[in-house]
Amino acid sequence: MAQVPKSVQKLIEAFERLPGIGPKTAQRLTFYLLNAPREEAENLAKAALEMKEKTTFCSVCFNIGESSPCNICDDAARNQSIIMVVENPLDILALDKTNFKGLYHVLGGVISPLENIGPSEIRIKELLPRLKKGVVDELILATNPTVEGEATAMYIQRLISPMDIKITRIARGLPVGSDIEYADETTLSRALEGRKEY
Amino acid sequence: MAQVPKSVQKLIEAFERLPGIGPKTAQRLTFYLLNAPREEAENLAKAALEMKEKTTFCSVCFNIGESSPCNICDDAARNQSIIMVVENPLDILALDKTNFKGLYHVLGGVISPLENIGPSEIRIKELLPRLKKGVVDELILATNPTVEGEATAMYIQRLISPMDIKITRIARGLPVGSDIEYADETTLSRALEGRKEY
C-alpha cells in the first residue's frame, strides 16, 4: 500500500481530531494545502497560534474575548438588567444578530448525566453573584431545546426562583419558513402550547 | 451585533478558505480549538508548517513525497512496465489499496475548458519521456469517470496511440454492493457495454 509521507500523515491526523472532520475530509484538506501556496498553510498555522495566545474568557460572562471583561460586558449602552443564559459562545454570535441588547452568561455546556457533567461542571454558580447585585430583573434561559438544554434550563429556573427575578425561556415552536406538514410532533405540540392571541 | 475577537475571526477565515468548509463549520472548528487545550492548536499549526517544509513533488511521477524520486518510483520491486495515469495524489492512496503494483503518473488536474485548464496546464507532456524509454508496455488511464476525466483520458489516448503501447481505461459500471434499481442511466449503459462473458 502507498505510504503517505509522515509529515502529510501528521497533518491528516491533526485535522481528523477536529469535530466533524472524518478521515476522508482530513485527507482532502491536507492535499488541498499541499497544492496551495505556502502562505495558505502558514496563514492557518499563524491564525491558530495567535488565537490561542490572544483570547481569554471574560471573567464576568465567560464569553470569549481579547479582553476581560469582554466587549459586551463592557458596553455601557447595553441593557444591564437582562441576562441571557446560553450554552456556548457560538450561541452569542447567533443571538446577537437579533435586536437583543442585554448581557449574556455562557454556561460552557449543559447538564448531562450521561456524559458525567453535573451542575458544578458548568458555570451556574458563577451566575449567582451577578444576580445578587439587584440590577438584573430578567433572566432569559436560552439553552438549546434539547433534552439536556431543557433540563439545564429547569435546574437554573429552580435555583433562581427564590430570588425576585423574572425568569423566561425562549419560545419553542415552528421555525420561520418551515412547513407544518413536515414538522415533528413535539415541535407541533410546543407550537400549540405557546400559541398567542392574534 | 456581537463582534468576534479579531484573532478568532482570522482563524475562522483561514478555515473558511479550505475546500468544503463553510462559514458555520469554520466557526465550529475555531470554537472547538478555543476550548481545546493549547497543544491541540499548536499541533495543528506545527503539522501544517512541517508538511509544507518537508514535502516535495516527485520529479518522475509528480506524486507527493518526502524524497524525489518518491518511494513508489524508487521501489525496484514494482512493475516498471505499467504506468497508471491519475488526476491527483489522493487517487494513488485509494488505488494502491488494490493489488496494483505498477507505477503512477499524477496529472495534477484534468483538462477543463470551462476553468481554462488546457492540456499544457496539467502534466501530460511530462508523461512522454517516461514512455519513450521503451520499458512501459501498458498505460492505464485512471482519470475520474466525469466529463472532464473522460475528455482528458481521450486526449491522452489520442496523443499516445501512435506509440507501440497498450492503452487501457478503467471500467465504468455498477459499484460493488450497489442496487440496479437506483443506478443512473449512464452508469447502467456503461455496465451493459462493458459486460463480460460469464
Side-chain angles (χ1 to χ4, degrees), chain A:
Chain A
M1 205 191 113
Q3 285 298 312
V4 195
K6 217 174 160 189
S7 56
V8 176
Q9 189 56 41
K10 268 191 187 164
L11 184 58
I12 294 178
E13 281 164 13
F15 274 127
E16 264 187 77
R17 267 194 291 274
L18 300 176
I21 305 281
K24 282 278 168 191
T25 310
Q27 273 184 19
R28 200 164 37 81
L29 295 178
T30 303
F31 279 83
Y32 166 78
L33 283 181
L34 262 173
N35 290 311
R38 204 195 152 75
E39 294 77 48
E40 192 112 357
E42 280 174 354
N43 183 33
L44 176 69
K46 225 182 83 188
L49 292 175
E50 236 183 66
M51 183 201 62
K52 280 310 248 190
E53 247 160 54
K54 290 200 180 163
T55 53
T56 178
F57 285 106
C58 170
S59 58
V60 181
C61 73
F62 300 97
N63 185 15
I64 276 152
E66 289 191 342
S67 58
S68 173
C70 70
N71 293 342
I72 295 177
C73 292
D74 221 22
D75 187 350
R78 297 185 77 109
N79 186 345
Q80 313 284 319
S81 67
I82 303 186
I83 293 182
M84 173 129 70
V85 177
V86 299
E87 291 184 17
N88 61 58
L90 275 180
D91 298 330
I92 296 187
L93 274 190
L95 288 162
D96 222 46
K97 284 180 188 154
T98 67
N99 56 8
F100 176 74
K101 284 282 162 281
L103 302 179
Y104 292 95
H105 186 85
V106 181
L107 293 175
V110 274
I111 298 172
S112 168
L114 283 176
E115 293 174 63
N116 257 325
I117 302 175
S120 54
E121 262 79 48
I122 60 176
R123 296 194 183 98
I124 293 180
K125 61 181 177 303
E126 287 86 346
L127 180 60
L128 302 178
R130 298 185 69 184
L131 301 177
K132 278 176 184 149
K133 284 178 196 157
V135 187
V136 178
D137 48 44
E138 184 177 351
L139 189 71
I140 306 177
L141 301 176
T143 51
N144 287 332
T146 55
V147 176
E148 291 86 2
E150 297 290 358
T152 308
M154 196 176 290
Y155 180 92
I156 297 175
Q157 188 267 326
R158 282 189 191 160
L159 188 74
I160 309 295
S161 60
M163 298 168 108
D164 182 27
I165 292 173
K166 185 174 155 193
I167 304 172
T168 55
R169 175 89 175 104
I170 47 164
R172 274 104 354 137
L174 291 161
V176 176
S178 67
D179 203 324
I180 293 181
E181 196 178 334
Y182 299 113
D184 64 287
E185 226 175 278
T186 330
T187 301
L188 282 176
S189 304
R190 291 296 201 158
L192 282 172
E193 278 170 32
R195 69 187 181 278
K196 277 187 178 175
E197 211 165 325
Y198 204 48

Side-chain angles (χ1 to χ4, degrees), chain A residues 35, chain B residues 56-65 70 73 88-89 92 104-108 123 126-127 130:
Chain A
N35 290 311
Chain B
T56 177
F57 285 105
C58 170
S59 58
V60 181
C61 73
F62 302 97
N63 184 16
I64 276 153
C70 70
C73 292
N88 61 57
I92 296 188
Y104 292 96
H105 186 84
V106 181
L107 293 174
R123 296 191 184 101
E126 287 86 346
L127 180 60
R130 298 185 69 185

